[in-house]
Amino acid sequence: MMTSAGRRGFTFLEVLIVVAMTGVLAAIGIPKLLRAEARAKASEAITQLKSLHASLIVQPVKPTSIHVAGFAPPRGNRYSYHLGTPCTSWEVRSARWAIVNETDDCIGVDTYARPGLPELFTPIDLSAAQWNEKALLNGVTTSPGFFGSELNWDYIAAAAGDRDHRLSDAADTWGITSAEGLVNSPCQEDPEPFQVVSGEPFSIIEDTQCDF
């Protein structure tokens, strides 16, 4: 095909080939981009749960708040953080300045920076757990919270968020605990129990792979 200026234009077949190639590249690249974004989101939860654990294990008595030892995820957090189920109260991050209460056992999503997300996600509990002897004596369950006496205690904490851009399904949930044992995820795709080590974050539900 020749244009009025004598320059060759694109034929219909050439346009179709370009469109097809663009589609193939998009099909390859977009999933990789989404997976990279999902990993970046999860890294926030892992980093902050480790920070929470570090602040908890140095406490001489059982804490009464998630703010113990100054734990405060940087603003812009995509995940909500839970040390109670349900939350007694939580740090509200819907404005420039956060609202903090002495009784907070949760920290909400920074909806000031991320207005499309809910203030709190609902973390998914473990479906079953076989805890070590100390945790059993302290009455550790499968939900976030503090367990045991003032001087002899354990905890489970959770980070809940969204990695697959589907707010209607189960929240992407990571956990960390001072206890050790074998636990089960509620995801039917992961029926086998797995070992939990004190102070190491673990995935309870990965919403990019397990939706319910």
Side-chain angles (χ1 to χ4, degrees), residues 63-203:
T64 58
S65 168
I66 198 170
H67 302 302
V68 63
F71 173 70
R75 292 298 299 265
N77 55 297
R78 300 179 176 92
Y79 283 72
S80 53
Y81 296 89
H82 302 256
L83 267 169
T85 306
C87 302
T88 302
S89 64
W90 60 90
E91 179 180 322
V92 178
R93 295 184 163 194
S94 59
R96 183 175 181 181
W97 305 109
I99 301 173
V100 179
N101 304 287
E102 291 184 359
T103 57
D104 290 344
D105 50 11
C106 300
I107 295 177
V109 173
D110 190 343
T111 55
Y112 179 72
R114 305 185 184 281
L117 296 179
E119 189 171 24
L120 286 175
F121 286 96
T122 301
I124 305 301
D125 292 345
L126 294 164
S127 61
Q130 303 171 47
W131 298 116
N132 60 0
E133 183 177 358
K134 175 177 176 289
L136 288 174
L137 290 174
N138 285 334
V140 177
T141 64
T142 56
S143 303
F146 291 107
F147 309 92
S149 64
E150 185 177 11
L151 297 178
N152 188 17
W153 53 276
D154 281 297
Y155 80 89
I156 298 177
D162 173 60
R163 293 173 67 186
D164 63 359
H165 301 282
R166 293 175 57 191
L167 296 176
S168 60
D169 63 3
D172 185 67
T173 306
W174 288 79
I176 195 167
T177 179
S178 57
E180 296 192 352
L182 288 173
V183 301
N184 289 80
S185 166
C187 182
Q188 297 301 314
E189 296 178 8
D190 298 310
E192 297 298 322
F194 58 93
Q195 183 71 38
V196 165
V197 178
S198 175
E200 288 296 323
F202 55 92
S203 175

